[in-house]
Amino acid sequence: MNNKNTMPRPAKAPPTNKAAKAEAELAEVLRPGQSVELLKELHILTREGRLNQDSRRKLKQVYHLFQFIEQLLRELPGEGAEATLADHGAGKSYLGFIIYDLFFRARQGGHVYGIETRSELVERSRALAQQLGFGRMSFLNLTVAESAQASELPAQIDVVTALHACDTATDDAIAFGLAKKARCMVLVPCCQAEVAACLRETKALALSRTPLAELWRHPLHTREIGSQLTNVLRCLYLEANGYSVTVTELVGWEHSMKNELILARYTGQRKASAATRLRELLAQFGLDTLGDTRFRLAD
């Protein structure tokens, strides 16, 4: 007889119910009444209704931005019940669809306009809005600059958004907002090359004129200083045109490097000091030509 001292084996844990786990994860991220069908069509959820890590990160960014926009909408007359919103550089319209689903769908009024240059994305968004019964959404195949004069848009737009609109498209969105007398603007700028290009053109003269030019002597610094300076100029321009401005982070830097969020509310109080500082900065950095184009101020 072989006597072996054996330890009793621990009882096996019951098998994990993957379906129940997936449902619990989904319940954590879904908002009350949110359309699961929409999230599947946007490929944020799989056909089985599950989230992957990339989708979770994308949804977190959109939700976080929506929180800021929802607050601004609720500050409008009737808590935004009849508000109009224009989403510039809409792409696949993740943001516009989720704003409509979470805010406008349960209301009787209001309208969301998605503005995008890629015709195939515009057609896809139109088809999806029709499929879901999102009747107060319109998608326009236009540039941001063209949209300010487009007959398909009303004379006034309450909220203007531009999420990662590249280079000067953010400036075009600001110009659109001013033309449409927007009550609020929500801007998350992306790549910004125009100011950096101007800095490069005047680098030799600037280096001989001021030690500040050392800030953009190297190409990498030129790009970074150009990006930072662009957003500073934008904020001053908005303040000079009667907006109060708040600058904050959209989400943690681990989620996106293009993370600066500019929130502007119209007050009607044009800040003369902002206009003065804007002109001074343009002159200091040799960007006077932009004062006649991007940052043109009323006399």
Side-chain angles (χ1 to χ4, degrees):
M1 184 175 179
N2 187 14
N3 293 323
K4 290 185 178 179
N5 294 323
T6 57
M7 295 291 293
R9 294 182 180 179
K12 289 185 178 180
T16 302
N17 188 327
K18 291 184 178 181
K21 184 178 179 182
E23 286 180 10
E25 289 179 350
L26 188 57
E28 287 180 8
V29 298
L30 282 183
R31 304 296 175 87
Q34 189 167 14
S35 170
V36 172
E37 182 185 359
L38 169 64
L39 296 181
K40 288 180 179 179
E41 291 294 338
L42 294 177
H43 303 293
I44 292 174
L45 294 179
T46 67
R47 286 298 169 192
E48 293 74 34
R50 296 183 182 180
L51 279 167
N52 59 36
Q53 195 58 38
D54 182 60
S55 296
R56 188 184 295 273
R57 183 165 52 248
K58 185 183 298 181
L59 199 56
K60 180 179 180 180
Q61 289 185 48
V62 175
Y63 277 166
H64 196 61
L65 185 55
F66 170 73
Q67 288 177 346
F68 288 105
I69 295 170
E70 181 184 29
Q71 180 180 340
L72 294 172
L73 286 167
R74 291 188 180 279
E75 292 173 5
L76 298 177
E79 293 194 342
E82 300 291 333
T84 51
L85 181 145
D87 179 23
H88 287 288
K92 295 179 180 179
S93 295
Y94 288 106
L95 179 61
F97 274 115
I98 287 177
I99 291 172
Y100 188 94
D101 186 36
L102 294 180
F103 188 85
F104 288 101
R105 184 161 62 97
R107 290 166 168 78
Q108 298 301 313
H111 203 105
V112 174
Y113 296 89
I115 297 164
E116 172 57 46
T117 58
R118 288 165 288 183
S119 58
E120 69 278 10
L121 297 183
V122 171
E123 291 301 324
R124 181 184 180 280
S125 294
R126 287 172 178 168
L128 180 55
Q130 184 175 11
Q131 174 186 330
L132 296 172
F134 289 5
R136 287 172 283 113
M137 293 192 81
S138 300
F139 299 92
L140 309 178
N141 186 199
L142 299 167
T143 66
V144 181
E146 290 169 344
S147 65
Q149 305 300 323
S151 60
E152 298 96 325
L153 286 151
Q156 182 174 6
I157 293 289
D158 293 308
V159 179
V160 173
T161 70
L163 175 58
H164 294 157
C166 287
D167 199 12
T168 57
T170 298
D171 300 296
D172 291 335
I174 291 172
F176 173 93
L178 295 179
K180 295 294 186 180
K181 301 179 176 60
R183 299 173 188 266
C184 311
M185 299 192 212
V186 181
L187 310 167
V188 182
C190 190
C191 53
Q192 299 142 343
E194 187 177 48
V195 167
C198 293
L199 292 176
R200 281 192 291 271
E201 288 176 6
T202 61
K203 187 187 325 187
L205 175 63
L207 281 167
S208 65
R209 186 169 59 88
T210 171
L212 280 177
E214 291 294 333
L215 292 172
W216 67 92
R217 178 159 63 93
H218 299 287
L220 177 61
H221 294 160
T222 303
R223 186 182 69 194
E224 296 302 318
I225 289 293
S227 176
Q228 189 76 358
L229 180 57
T230 300
N231 288 337
V232 170
L233 294 170
R234 286 166 173 164
C235 292
L236 289 170
Y237 186 56
L238 286 164
E239 289 176 335
N241 279 283
Y243 288 80
S244 67
V245 175
T246 302
V247 180
T248 186
E249 291 180 2
L250 174 58
V251 289
W253 290 102
E254 71 274 13
H255 296 291
S256 174
M257 292 303 291
K258 303 300 182 181
N259 199 33
E260 185 170 337
L261 173 61
I262 300 172
L263 299 169
R265 291 176 170 87
Y266 186 70
T267 64
Q269 298 176 350
R270 297 172 181 267
K271 290 183 67 173
S273 59
T276 299
R277 284 295 174 92
L278 174 58
R279 292 188 179 100
E280 289 173 347
L281 276 177
L282 291 171
Q284 180 69 45
F285 285 89
L287 302 171
D288 302 84
T289 56
L290 295 182
D292 298 323
T293 54
R294 294 289 171 202
F295 306 108
R296 189 171 184 175
L297 295 168
D299 293 331

